[in-house]
Amino acid sequence: MEFALQTALNGFSTGAIYGLIAAGFSLTYLATRRFNFGLGMWVMLGAMLSYTLVVQIELPPLAALPLVVGISLVLGLAAEHISVRPFQSSKNDLWIVATLAVGLMLVDAAQLIWGKFPLAVDDYLGTEPWTVGGIRIRTQHVLTFTAVIAVFLAMHAFFRHSLSGAEYRAVAKDRVMAELMGINTRRAEQLAFGAAAALAGLAGFLVSPITGAEANIGTALGFKGFAVAIVGGLAAPRGVLIVGLSYGVLEALVSAYLFTGIRDILSFSIMIISLYILPFGIFGEPERERR
Amino acid sequence: MTRNIPFLLIVIALAAPFVLPGTYYIYLAELVVIYAIAALGVRQFLATTNQLVFCQSAMMAIGAYSFALTARQFGDGITGLFIGLVAGLIISGAVSMALIFPALRLRGPYFAMITIAFGWIVWRTAIEWTAVTGGDLGISAIPNFAAALGLPPSAQYVASLAVLAAVSGILWRIGNSAFGVLQLAHSVDTMALAALGVRVDHIRLIAFVAGSCIGALAGAFFAMHQAYINPNGFEVFDSVSLLVAVLIGGVSRQVGTVIGVIAIYIAPEFLHALDAYRLLFYGALVLLMLNFAREGLLRDNRSQIWRRPFHGTGAVGGLVSWLEELHPGPRHTHLKISGVQKHFGTIRALGGVDLDVRAGEVHGVVGPNGSGKSTLLDVASGLVPRDGGSVTLNDLKLPREGVDRIARYDMLRTFQKIRNFDTLTCRENVLAGIVAQRFRTSTFGIFRAMANRVATRDEERAQAILGSLGLAAHSDDLAAALPQGRRRALEIARILAAGPRVLLLDEPTSGLSRDERDEIARAILLCRDHGIAVILVDHDMELIEHLCDQVTALSVGRVIAQGSPQAVLADERFKADYFGGGERDVDA
């Protein structure tokens, strides 16, 4: 029973990471109806940067965090410029290939810079697990969960109560109308893409002590984040968090009690089935197709 | 002639290994041929649907594993090989059908994601299902044709070449058939094609299943070529490479695809120094290509059929003779809309509307914006499902939903925002209407369309119908290049070519000049005189009064007046509602 509880608690923090990545997808989806297909690779980049800043340069994690997020944001803005912007009007959804291509380049670049082997990052709040009522829990799991909840609350406050947040929601609702109202939709779209990269960077920062920093961790994380975004509803960031957490727990229990190999097969099957029966997600509302 | 140069270059390149020394070139060329087969499957789907697919290497895996396992069961002889190929085709066909069938309504990125997830599942399954696939160790000692027949390895290369030639030949032939017209139209505007009554879902389904089977075929030959398979060659990244090869070569021609494959799979063989930078190199290549040569290396906006020169004899009659040919004799069409309701959320768009039209009648629908006119057409034509009431055609209850289903009852519509196949010429637009009319009715009409070439007579008919609507001079112009009024005429020409019994026109004269409007009006009268039942939604009261036999006035989703045009247009409630001044109950 204790083992099950401990597994489930660990699942919460992985789930929070999925939720965070999924929020990145829904952020860009809402503003542009597009998203970064290589977003998982940006999580990997965040993990790699964290390794360099925290382990190699020995910055305190609190100082490394803004750097990781900042660098991801700037690179994300640059990536938007070459992989999304040029394909605004293409009928083939070429941006999918272009964002994937950028992601693959990141993997290769990471292998060249950081090598092919996993690099260890220590838990930011100390390697000694905390013990609560007989359950030992890693500090990183606690930190991750708390940080993600804080980010979601901050995002909620931003979109509800700030003017830029309102502008963003206007762009999400109706791009043309927002443009006619004098909102700089171009900037909103670009920022959404950069912000998604920044969220991915944050996810990488949080996840690197758990998974280790390695060039190949991004793919599965990214696609699972997407699966969570789909099941929760791309247009419903709150649903995404709930689904992310539940999925994290489910996955932890499945790999603990069944076998690890089935984990990815399970998550992608859930996504496919969910797209079939609930294309707008559990928490999303169907949008009427514009003619 | 310059068109054939790339083709000749490919033939030379593929023939070269026979004269080059050593077996390495044969090995390499065979690999290229195999990937070219798989890529043709991707191209075919992309060209038909404009949708990216990221699971072709999974289909190759299914083909490779099914082939290897089955062929082993039946011994290494030639029979076993053929049974293995058939098994690969059947299994990939079934799997791709199961995948695409529920995904028919998914578009763009969602569909791309489904294919990525599926590709991932197949790859993981190949790793985890060790009992069958051998896991990471894979399957070895896979037989091939050359060995089974006791021929040198180059014979296997010849076999692969033959498959490439056969696949590309069949695809070329289908592109040239009547189905090719529908395929091209599908890639330009799916909704406009559905409005002609074509089962667009079937087109998409066939394109995906065919593409997947072609992938599986390539996979089987891949297994023979390698004699050993493990999950490594079948990752999602390999699907991306195939797609990139297609995009680099240009989607419009098969030759381009083969050139793209050569570029993607041969170049790295000679650039081993680049191995560490492979993904960087690919990524940069893709970005550069997408940014600077969007259409790929071989740019060509027209498929085979469209380049065929057209020499009309003028012996085929225009619209009048076409309508008479379709429905000789008097007609007894009776469309009855009764109590139709539609709500959007809490907004009532239609609150129980009744309307009757008969053959040879023009029924006008008028009302201010938001009164439900367009919604009425949308509901009647199946574009949006109705919430209540019924629509019957000659006492036959029409389905609730599905533009193409309702169009197959010969009830066709135009759209308020003009929908033509913009990148096709005017004649091709009308031709698509004629082909749709010929092949839409039966379930297997699509397969008949594949077997039939476009009759010259149909091309001439298309030309003549254009002439009937004053578009003869534009027949070789792209639809998108026409001025507004002409575009509307073209849309109506295409719809009439598809042979309506009931015609639903949504504001056909809005934004037109007087002359253009009169042309449309003449076409409507022609339809009426040939026994078509017409519902006409418009704001032009002069036109309504002039053309219509009956008029229905709507206000906030309800009928407020119905009868002769003179009576309705003089109706006090209608005047107050439409021209303002009176009281309106709700501002919708």
Side-chain angles (χ1 to χ4, degrees), chain B residues 12 37 44 127 137 176 203 217 222 264 295 316 335 343 361 387 398 424 493 497 515 534:
Chain B
I12 292 170
I37 298 169
Q44 179 267 144
I127 294 175
L137 293 177
N176 256 317
I203 292 188
L217 196 60
F222 181 78
I264 282 278
E295 305 291 330
V316 179
L335 177 75
H343 298 266
E361 218 176 67
D387 295 333
L398 295 188
L424 306 189
D515 288 348
V534 182

Side-chain angles (χ1 to χ4, degrees), chain A residues 86 92 94 108 226 276 291, chain B residues 50 99 105 113 279-280 378:
Chain A
N92 277 343
L94 291 179
D108 218 15
F226 187 82
Y276 286 163
R291 268 176 287 121
Chain B
N50 281 322
L99 184 68
R105 58 185 173 155
M113 227 5 144
L279 291 183
L280 272 179
D378 287 354

Side-chain angles (χ1 to χ4, degrees), chain A residues 29 35 82 86-87 92-94 97 100 104-105 108 112 219 226 234 261 264-265 268-269 271 275-276 291, chain B residues 50 52 54 99 102 105 108-110 113-114 117 120-121 128 276-280 283-284 290-291 294 378 383:
Chain A
Y29 172 78
F35 26 73
I82 53 168
F87 310 115
N92 277 343
D93 292 329
L94 291 179
V97 186
L100 256 180
L104 294 176
M105 289 169 80
D108 218 15
L112 289 172
T219 324
F226 187 82
L234 269 169
D264 297 344
I265 297 178
F268 290 126
S269 308
M271 179 178 97
L275 266 177
Y276 286 163
R291 268 176 287 121
Chain B
N50 281 322
L52 305 174
F54 292 92
L99 184 68
R105 58 185 173 155
Y110 294 98
M113 227 5 144
I114 287 250
W120 188 287
I121 290 175
E128 301 292 341
Y277 308 92
R278 210 172 116 220
L279 291 183
L280 272 179
L290 293 183
N291 273 298
R294 183 80 46 94
D378 287 354
L383 192 65

